[in-house]
Amino acid sequence: MEVTQVLFNAQSIDGTVRKNAEESLKQFQEQNLPGFLLSLSGELANEEKPVETRKLAGLVLKNALDAKEQHRKFELVQRWLSLDGNAKSQIKACLLTTLTSPVSDARSTASQVIAKVAGIELPHKQWPELIGSLLSNVHQLPAQAKQATLETLGYLCEEVSPDVIDQDQVNKILTAVVQGMSSSEGNTDVRLAATRALYNALGFAQANFSNDMERDYIMRVVCEATLCPEVRIRQAAFECLVSISSTYYEKLAPYIQDIFNITAKAVREDEEPVALQAIEFWSSICDEEIDILEEYGGDFTGDSDIPCFYFIKQALPALVPMLLETLLKQEEDQDQDEGAWNIAMAGGTCLGLVARTVGDDIVPLVVPFIEENISKPDWRQREAATYAFGSILEGPSPEKLIPLVNVALTFMLSALTKDPNSHVKDTTAWTLGRIFEFLHGSVVDSPIISQANCQQIITVLLQSMKDTPNVAEKACGALYFLAQGYEEMGPSSPLTPFFQEIVQSLLTVTHREDAGESRLRTAAYETLNEVVRCSTDETAPLVLQLVPVIMMELHNTLEGQKLSSDEREKQSELQGLLCGCLQVIIQKLGASEPTKYVFMQYADQIMGLFLRVFACRSATVHEEAMLAIGALAYATGADFAKYMPEFYRYLEMGLQNFEEYQVCAVTVGVVGDISRALEEKIVPYCDGIMTQLLKNLSSNQLHRSVKPPIFSCFGDIALAVGEYFEKYLMWAMSALQSAAELSTHIAGDDELVEYTNSLRNGILEAYSGIFQGFKNSPKTQLLIPYAPHILQFLDGIYMEKDMDDVVMKTAIGVLGDLADTLGSHAGSMIQQSVSSKDFLNECLSSEDLMIKESAEWAKLAISRAISV
C-alpha cells in the first residue's frame, strides 16, 4: 500500500476520495499495527516526501498513541506496549532523525510524537536513553535541530509527571533549557523554544527553586527574556512568570520589586499579548493570596502551609493607578464580541481580584478616579469610571461601600437610560447587577433599595431590556440579582406589584428577533426562572397563568417543520430553556398544597410535551426535560405511576447514555426522584433499573462522577420498595463493598479527596436507605452478615481524618440506622468496633448543627440496641 498517496487523498477536497483514504488508513491500522506505524514514521522521516503527507503521517501516528477518552487511551497504550521491540526501536529511530530535518513542520510534529511515546514508555522504565540523547543534541547541532530538541523537551515535560524523571536528569534538562533562553543565544527560534520549554518544565523544578543560587539564576534569565526584542519571547517569558507566581509564590519575595517594575513597563508600553500576561501575573498573585487568607480565616491558625506575604497590600499605591490606566484602553466593539479579551478587561478583572484581596483599603485609591471621570464628555472616561466602580464591589465591607452606592445609584439609573454611548450603558447595567448581587438582600443591614427607588429601578431595567442585545442582557442580569435579594424577605416582596409587568417584559425579550445575540434569550429565561423562584404566595395565581403560556411555547417548537442542522440546534436550545422554565414553575407550584391542587390539571399535558421532546431527541433537550420530569414526579407523587409505561424507555435510554455522562447522571437523579414519588409502585420497573445501574457501575467507560449518585440511588430504591429489595441485595452489597474498599485508602490531590468524599457519601446513603427500607420487616436478619463490613468501612474513613462535613453527617446517620434496624444484633458489634465511640463523641461535640442532630439520634438508637 503506497502510504504517501493515501495520505494525500486523506486531505483531498473531494469528500468521497477523502472518505476512502480514511477507511484504508483505518483498515491498515487494524490489520497490521506494526506495519502501519512503521510506514507512518518512515513517511515522517523521509526528506523526499512532500511536507503535507509528512505532517499528516505524524499526526496520524500521534493519534494512534493517544485519545481523549480514558478507556480508548488505555487501549492504545496497551497496544503500543505489546508491540514487537524491533518495530518500536525503528519507529523511535525515525522520530529522532526527523528532529534534524530542515522542514520545520516535520520537526515540530516529530517533537509531539516523541513526547507521546515517552509519556507511555518512561513510566514503565523503558527508553531510558531518550533524555540523554536529546540533551546531547542540544549542544552541537545546527540551530533548527537545537530548536526542535528544546521543543521536544518541553512537550515531554508536559506529558510525564515529575516523579518519572530523576533529579539528575531534571537538572540537566533545566540547564539546557535555561541556557537556550539566555541572551547569549543568538538564534530567536531556539530562544523561543527554550522559553516555552521552561514553562512546561517548571513543575519539575521544586528542588531547584529551593536552592537560592539556582533559583536566582532561573529568575534572572526569565526576567531578562521579558526584555528580549522578539515579542513572542517576551510573551512566553511573562507566561513563565505567571506560572512561577502560582507554583512558587512563597519564593518570590526577593524578586517582587523588580517584577513590579518589569510588569508595569510592559503594561504601559508593550504590545497587547505581552501586556496581558504582565497583568495576569498580578491577578495570579491575588488568587494565591485570596486562597491563603481564606484558609487562615484571618486568625492565622488555619491549615495553610504557606504564609501570606501581602505582596498586593504592599504594591497597592503603585498597582492600583497602573490598573486604572488600563481601563481607558477599551476596544470599540468589545461588548458585541462574546470572547473579547483586551487590556481594559484584563485590568478590570485584576482590579476586582485586588479588591477581594485587600478589602476596604482599595476604596480610597479608586474613588478619586471615579469622581474625576464619571461625567467626562469622552465615553472612554465615563465607561472606565463605571467599570472601576463595578470592579470593587466584591471584597470591601458593606459599611465602606453603601454610602458610595447610595450616592451613585440615582446617577447610574439615569446613565442607563440617557447615556448616548452603548458601552457606557453596558457597563452601567453590569455594575448595577454587581450592586444588587453583593449589597442587597438579607446579608446587608441597611438596605440600598427603598419603596421610593424600587419603582424607578424596575422601570429603568425593563426599559433597558429593549436596548441593544448586549445592554439588554446585562439588564436581565441586574434584574436577576434584584429578585434574588428579595428571596428571604418574608411573605411579601417589594416586587409583587410589578410581577406581571416583569414577566411580560422578559417574555417579550425572548421573542426579540435578535435574542440569539449576546446570550440574550438565555439570560431572559434565567431571569424569568429566578423571578418565579423567588416569588411569594401573593403572586402564585400569576405563576399559574404562566403555565399554559410556556406550554404553548414548547408546543410550538415541536410542530414538525423540516429543519437544517443549524436550526435544529437552535430549536433544541430553545426547548432546553423552556423545559428549564417549566421545571422551576413546577417546583414553585408544587411546594404548597393549594397551588399544587390547581396545577395538577396541567400535569398530563405537560408530561405529554416532555415525552414529545424526548421523541425528537437531542442531548441538550434530553437533560433539561429529564430534570423537569424529576420535578413533576416530586409534585405528582404516587400519581406519577400512570406516566411510567410510556416514560420508562426514555429513562432507560438516559441510563445507557455513557457518552454524554451528564445526561446519565441527571437520569440517575431522576430515578431517585421517581422512587421517592412512587414508593412501592416502582416495583414493576426495578429489575430493569437495577440491572442497568449495576451495569453502569461495572463499566470502565462511564465517567467516574456518575458513580456516587448511582449508589445514592440504590438507597432511594431500597427505601421505596422495602423488603422487596431482597432480590437485589446481594448484588448491590457486593458493589458497595468493593467501592467502599476503594474509597478508604486514597492519597491524592484535592480533587481526588473531593471525589472520594462524594463516593463515600453515595455509598453511605445507599447503606442508610437499605437499612431504613428493611426496618420492621421480618427480613431484617438478611442484613446482619453485612454489618461487620459496614462498621469496618466507618472505622476506615474515621481513621483517615479527611472526610468532609457532609460525609460525617451521613456516616453518623448510618451508624444510627444500623443500630435502629438491627437492634440487639448490632449492639454488641458496635460496642466492639474500633472507633464508633470516638466518632460518636466527636460528632456530638460538632459545631455543625446537622451533624450534632444526627449524632444525638444515633446515640439514642445505639443505647436502645445495647440495652435490649
Side-chain angles (χ1 to χ4, degrees), residues 272-288:
E272 183 169 88
V274 182
L276 285 173
Q277 289 302 321
I279 295 173
E280 187 57 36
F281 174 85
W282 292 101
S283 291
S284 172
I285 294 282
C286 288
D287 285 333
E288 291 305 307

Side-chain angles (χ1 to χ4, degrees), residues 99 140 212 227 238 264 273 324 375 411 427 450 469 495 566 581 601 608 618 639 661 676 687 697 704 706 739 747 857:
L99 289 182
Q140 53 220 27
D212 292 356
L227 307 171
F238 273 112
L324 291 171
S375 305
F411 183 90
T427 306
S450 57
L495 296 187
D566 194 33
C581 184
Q601 61 179 331
S618 85
D639 289 347
Y661 65 86
R676 285 188 285 277
D687 282 6
L697 284 175
R704 66 176 192 181
V706 188
W857 176 81

Side-chain angles (χ1 to χ4, degrees), residues 15 338 445 474 536 551 589 786:
E338 283 254 318
D445 297 334
K474 304 281 195 311
T536 60
M551 281 170 62
L589 296 173
Y786 301 108

Side-chain angles (χ1 to χ4, degrees), residues 222-253:
V222 173
C223 289
E224 273 172 12
T226 63
L227 307 171
C228 171
E230 166 58 47
V231 62
R232 290 172 308 164
I233 293 176
R234 295 201 299 279
Q235 183 184 343
F238 273 112
E239 283 169 8
C240 288
L241 277 180
V242 172
S243 175
I244 289 167
S245 70
S246 61
T247 317
Y248 301 109
Y249 167 84
E250 72 283 8
K251 302 271 190 266
L252 281 177

Side-chain angles (χ1 to χ4, degrees), residues 44 47 51 54-55 98-112 144-145 147-148 151 155 189:
L44 176 60
E47 296 299 339
V51 59
R54 293 177 70 184
K55 191 173 173 184
T98 312
L99 289 182
T100 59
S101 163
V103 180
S104 78
D105 272 345
R107 293 198 303 271
S108 181
T109 310
S111 294
Q112 294 173 43
Q144 58 202 38
Q147 174 258 333
E151 194 176 331
Y155 287 138
D189 291 338

Side-chain angles (χ1 to χ4, degrees), residues 446-719:
S446 45
I448 47 169
I449 302 171
S450 57
Q451 269 326 124
N453 63 10
C454 188
Q455 167 131 32
Q456 190 201 359
I457 291 172
I458 288 168
T459 309
V460 167
L461 291 179
L462 298 189
Q463 182 60 41
S464 296
M465 285 186 208
K466 301 178 186 147
D467 212 313
T468 56
N470 55 301
V471 175
E473 188 265 338
K474 304 281 195 311
C476 287
L479 186 55
Y480 177 99
F481 288 114
L482 182 67
Q484 196 179 67
Y486 284 125
E487 188 186 353
E488 305 290 316
M489 292 290 188
S492 173
S493 159
L495 296 187
T496 299
F498 311 105
F499 187 84
Q500 189 71 25
E501 196 187 343
I502 291 172
V503 169
Q504 205 39 62
S505 302
L506 286 164
L507 288 172
T508 308
V509 171
T510 66
H511 293 140
R512 279 175 54 157
E513 285 292 306
D514 54 5
E517 296 167 37
S518 297
R519 277 188 69 256
L520 177 56
R521 183 177 288 112
T522 307
Y525 276 115
E526 284 173 353
T527 302
L528 177 60
N529 294 351
E530 198 61 11
V531 168
V532 168
R533 200 179 65 75
C534 301
S535 63
T536 60
D537 291 345
E538 301 169 297
T539 45
L542 299 172
V543 177
L544 268 165
Q545 287 172 22
L546 194 54
V547 179
V549 176
I550 303 289
M551 281 170 62
M552 195 62 210
E553 302 251 329
L554 185 54
H555 173 79
N556 292 340
T557 68
L558 293 161
E559 287 313 286
Q561 1 31 355
K562 285 280 165 279
L563 297 176
S564 70
S565 67
D566 194 33
E567 287 171 326
R568 179 162 303 123
E569 194 169 315
K570 286 205 174 83
Q571 174 206 35
S572 86
E573 191 181 329
L574 179 57
Q575 288 173 345
L577 292 169
L578 291 164
C579 288
C581 184
L582 282 170
Q583 182 195 346
V584 174
I585 294 174
I586 294 167
Q587 285 167 332
K588 188 73 194 173
L589 296 173
S592 76
E593 285 308 316
T595 52
K596 181 151 92 175
Y597 179 74
V598 186
F599 165 75
M600 278 312 147
Q601 61 179 331
Y602 297 113
D604 291 1
Q605 284 170 284
I606 288 186
M607 189 65 191
L609 284 170
F610 292 152
L611 291 170
R612 286 180 62 195
V613 168
F614 282 131
C616 66
R617 67 162 229 270
S618 85
T620 51
V621 164
H622 221 143
E623 198 174 329
E624 320 295 338
M626 196 50 98
L627 284 163
I629 286 176
L632 188 65
Y634 184 77
T636 49
D639 289 347
F640 190 83
K642 63 181 171 184
Y643 306 126
M644 283 302 285
E646 233 187 310
F647 170 55
Y648 179 72
R649 64 192 179 119
Y650 296 115
L651 195 65
E652 200 159 47
M653 245 155 58
L655 293 177
Q656 287 162 354
N657 195 340
F658 287 6
E659 294 311 301
E660 295 145 346
Y661 65 86
Q662 289 91 339
V663 174
C664 187
V666 162
T667 312
V668 170
V670 170
V671 171
D673 295 336
I674 292 173
S675 307
R676 285 188 285 277
L678 293 184
E679 297 188 317
E680 68 289 345
K681 285 188 182 171
I682 199 173
V683 166
Y685 304 97
C686 278
D687 282 6
I689 292 173
M690 284 299 296
T691 307
Q692 193 54 52
L693 291 177
L694 287 161
K695 213 189 229 150
N696 288 12
L697 284 175
S698 61
S699 153
N700 61 354
Q701 292 180 23
L702 183 61
H703 195 274
R704 66 176 192 181
S705 64
V706 188
K707 297 194 172 171
I710 290 179
F711 288 126
S712 306
C713 191
F714 282 178
D716 294 328
I717 293 172
L719 205 48

